[in-house]
Amino acid sequence: ALALAPFLLIAAQPDLGTALVLLPVLGAVMFAAGAPAGALWKLAGAGVLALGAVLALLLAPPALGWDEARHEALLERCGISAYQKNRVMVFLRRDADPLNAGWNKAQSQIAVGSGRMWGKGFQQGTQNILGFLPRTVAPNDFIFSVIAEEKGFAGALAVLGLMAVIIGGGLRAALAASDRIGRLLSVGVTALIFSHVFVNIAMTIGLLPITGLPLPLLSYGGTFMLVAMSGLGIVQSVYIRGERN
């Protein structure tokens, strides 16, 4: 109930991607708070069923021969915009709208793959420098693609390693917390960072639909950078107090 209010407010922006990040954060905090595992599995199962229903809504009507206008009207009544539909369809079908909705995904995958082991060198990535990966998104949502192209698999692995250090530090702070609220705060912030890292990198390599989630501490931008650094500051405070006690 507490998570529902911010979820609905963020989704109404509209920013469904950021709203959905609250779900794994909520699950992690509930687990750390001692919620029964059976209840959490039931919630996860309900989420999978809901996802299946959305996919059926997106895929079934066209397969049944519905015209596009009728399908769009149905989606609108269910609160799914044409923009969100295109994002999912591009993810499910590689050849769907490659010059429009699927452009960023295709160019991101080319950038990641073309970096190979050691990359093309600093500011030598053609997808980024020549603008194939649009410069409106390259510094923020697709910064991992730029790093992978310029620094290769080695650079991408270094980014993953550094993120793992931050996430591991958050879990260590949770274990060292001297009180319950400190433990839950550390788990929540760590889950938030992990969710952003997982979703951002997965979308750049084509494992998840494209969404506007930044890569923590690397993506250009102000709001989430402040949120991430404030959250990490809270985790550090929890750890310091836990060590003193």
Side-chain angles (χ1 to χ4, degrees), residues 44 51 59 70 91 112 118 122-123 167 181 195 213 230:
L51 177 61
L59 299 176
R70 187 178 179 188
F91 169 69
V112 173
W118 304 109
F122 180 61
Q123 291 191 344
I167 292 167
I181 187 64
S195 299
L213 289 184
S230 299

Side-chain angles (χ1 to χ4, degrees), residues 49-75:
L49 290 176
L51 177 61
V54 171
L55 291 178
L57 188 63
L58 291 172
L59 299 176
L64 296 174
W66 285 29
D67 62 87
E68 189 69 20
R70 187 178 179 188
H71 187 208
E72 293 287 350
L74 174 63
L75 293 177

